[in-house]
Amino acid sequence: MNPNLSEIVVANGVGAALVAMLHLSRSKYRKTKTKGERLFDIMLLVTFAANIAEIICFLIDGKCFPFSRALLYLVNAFCVGATVVVGYVWCLYSVYRIHRNGIPVKKKAVWLGIPTVIILLLLLADMFGAAILFEISPDNLYVRGKYCLAVYLLLGGYYLYSVIITFRSWKKIPNVQFFPVLYFIVPCVVGTIIQGLFYGITIGWLTVSIAFIFVQLNLQSESAFLDDMSGLYNRNYLAHAFTLIRRKSIGNVYGIMMDIDRYKMINDSYGHLVGDDVIRTIGSLLRKSAPIGSIVLRIGGDEFVVLLPGSSQEQTEDLMRTIRNQVDQLNQKKEKPYTLSLSIGSAYYDGYDTDAFLSDMDKAMYREKDTSCRS
């Protein structure tokens, strides 16, 4: 029996409890669920299961009972596989947090996932006695395989990749400042190194659980700037975004402002629940349509703004056409009881007068609204 068994059970039990409580607290009042939140939930679920699986690993390590050998292979394979899966999903989560857009995540998911798939296939082979990453001895004891270092190298590569893309983006994309990448990486790396060097000291999954707590605590600072219904930034973030744009000396900033035509009529005709669905629908549409590096906000009841740092007039007009096309496609599907249309206006930001910039966008938007009302 492992002399540290009681400590192992306590450490992993605490880890499981931490991520369970974190998941419950995140889910309790959540109205919308973005791709980023789904990725975070996946990591929490895998981490919870890995904490429990590791307890089982040490409880039955060296024990002999019916199906004990098969169970040892299964739970140990899960623990090793969960390690790289969390690293892989963390990279995807990092990409989402940087761009706040699911499209880059889809583009990177395949090539980032190839090493994880290879590790999972090797683990499957180990379950049939290949002894590549690990094996179970005749005495039913876990033994590290000849190439177990590959798991730690891959995990380190995933962590390094997330750090590199985050630091590269900090100078270009204002909202990346809210992503506390090091608060996750540092505890995980420390725990992984200790557990990798000293088998029997199992703080790896506990430190991952604690790291998620650190990340969530730091992301709470962003919650004051988020609109719950649309999932976009709210008006509180607008002044902050302009400060960051000026501080980073980002040139050629354009913006578009839009509101939902006949939104009050939709609310009056179908009720506020349908009106809320309109806001969520537009929020999802804008997140998918807005280019990487843009800042998308809901600044009022049915008013939205997209800031486009480092853009051009042509790119701004392209985005306006894309948004209109997305709305048209949504209407053609006839999945909603209402028909959507938007009034959209654009303006150039000179880097100084934010009030004039917002006013110019507002005037351009109402010029289009007046034109559409007369036609």
Side-chain angles (χ1 to χ4, degrees):
M1 179 179 291
N2 192 308
N4 300 320
L5 184 58
S6 59
E7 289 86 351
I8 291 168
V9 172
V10 170
N12 289 104
V14 169
L18 286 175
V19 292
M21 289 187 293
L22 177 57
H23 176 71
L24 290 174
S25 66
R26 283 168 49 83
S27 304
K28 190 173 183 180
Y29 301 108
R30 186 163 53 195
K31 296 179 181 178
T32 59
K33 200 169 188 178
T34 64
K35 184 179 288 292
E37 288 169 332
R38 287 193 292 270
L39 290 170
F40 200 93
D41 286 345
I42 289 171
M43 290 188 289
L44 292 182
L45 177 61
V46 173
T47 302
F48 174 82
N51 274 292
I52 300 301
E54 193 159 72
I55 292 175
I56 297 173
C57 286
F58 282 93
L59 285 174
I60 65 175
D61 195 43
K63 302 289 178 61
C64 186
F65 55 86
F67 306 109
S68 59
R69 192 170 182 80
L71 183 58
L72 275 166
Y73 268 112
L74 182 62
V75 291
N76 279 287
F78 180 84
C79 286
V80 177
T83 301
V84 293
V85 167
V86 168
Y88 166 62
V89 179
W90 171 257
C91 283
L92 298 183
Y93 181 70
S94 301
V95 172
Y96 179 85
R97 289 296 314 179
I98 289 168
H99 302 298
R100 295 188 65 83
N101 191 315
I103 296 174
V105 174
K106 291 180 180 178
K107 290 181 178 178
K108 296 180 184 295
V110 174
W111 68 267
L112 279 172
I114 291 174
T116 292
V117 171
I118 293 173
I119 291 295
L120 295 179
L121 290 174
L122 293 177
L123 287 170
L124 183 61
D126 282 347
M127 292 180 68
F128 292 93
I132 301 170
L133 300 176
F134 81 96
E135 64 178 315
I136 303 299
S137 74
D139 298 327
N140 272 4
L141 294 170
Y142 170 87
V143 180
R144 288 174 175 171
K146 186 176 180 180
Y147 300 100
C148 68
L149 184 61
V151 174
Y152 296 101
L153 291 176
L154 176 57
L155 185 62
Y158 279 145
Y159 288 161
L160 181 61
Y161 174 80
S162 69
V163 172
I164 290 173
I165 62 171
T166 302
F167 276 81
R168 282 182 176 176
S169 302
W170 270 348
K171 294 183 179 180
K172 300 177 183 178
I173 305 174
N175 57 37
V176 177
Q177 66 162 333
F178 288 111
F179 184 47
V181 61
L182 293 180
Y183 283 84
F184 180 80
I185 298 299
V186 172
C188 290
V189 168
V190 170
T192 301
I193 290 175
I194 292 175
Q195 185 155 329
L197 292 176
F198 307 102
Y199 178 72
I201 299 179
T202 59
I203 64 168
W205 288 111
L206 174 61
T207 55
V208 172
S209 304
I210 293 171
F212 282 127
I213 299 291
F214 288 164
V215 171
Q216 182 64 23
L217 288 173
N218 280 270
L219 289 178
Q220 288 301 317
S221 61
E222 187 185 31
S223 63
F225 296 119
L226 288 178
D227 174 58
D228 288 339
M229 191 174 298
S230 66
L232 307 176
Y233 285 113
N234 59 27
R235 193 178 188 92
N236 294 334
Y237 188 73
L238 194 58
H240 190 64
F242 285 129
T243 299
L244 291 172
I245 287 171
R246 288 193 295 267
R247 186 185 301 165
K248 296 175 184 292
S249 301
I250 300 175
N252 293 326
V253 178
Y254 282 81
I256 64 174
M257 181 182 289
M258 68 202 83
D259 72 2
I260 303 168
D261 298 329
R262 299 178 296 279
Y263 179 65
K264 184 177 184 301
M265 186 182 73
I266 294 174
N267 256 326
D268 293 342
S269 301
Y270 299 103
H272 290 289
L273 290 178
V274 174
D276 292 348
D277 180 68
V278 172
I279 299 298
R280 285 191 289 269
T281 298
I282 295 298
S284 176
L285 185 149
L286 292 179
R287 283 197 303 272
K288 294 175 182 177
S289 303
I292 293 172
S294 60
I295 303 170
V296 189
L297 311 98
R298 179 190 178 201
I299 62 169
D302 66 329
E303 288 189 330
F304 301 84
V305 166
V306 182
L307 301 179
L308 300 162
S311 185
S312 66
Q313 185 174 350
E314 292 77 13
Q315 291 170 320
T316 304
E317 292 172 354
D318 285 343
L319 176 59
M320 293 166 69
R321 281 192 291 270
T322 298
I323 292 172
R324 291 191 180 99
N325 289 337
Q326 291 291 327
V327 170
D328 289 342
Q329 291 176 22
L330 182 68
N331 290 331
Q332 289 169 12
K333 293 178 181 177
K334 297 182 179 180
E335 296 175 346
K336 306 289 184 180
Y338 49 79
T339 299
L340 280 179
S341 66
L342 301 173
S343 293
I344 309 176
S346 66
Y348 175 76
Y349 177 48
D350 62 8
Y352 299 99
D353 196 336
T354 57
D355 290 336
F357 175 50
L358 294 171
S359 177
D360 289 344
M361 284 193 291
D362 188 64
K363 290 175 182 176
M365 180 184 71
Y366 274 96
R367 280 197 298 271
E368 177 173 290
K369 187 180 290 289
D370 290 341
T371 301
S372 62
C373 288
R374 288 195 295 268
S375 59

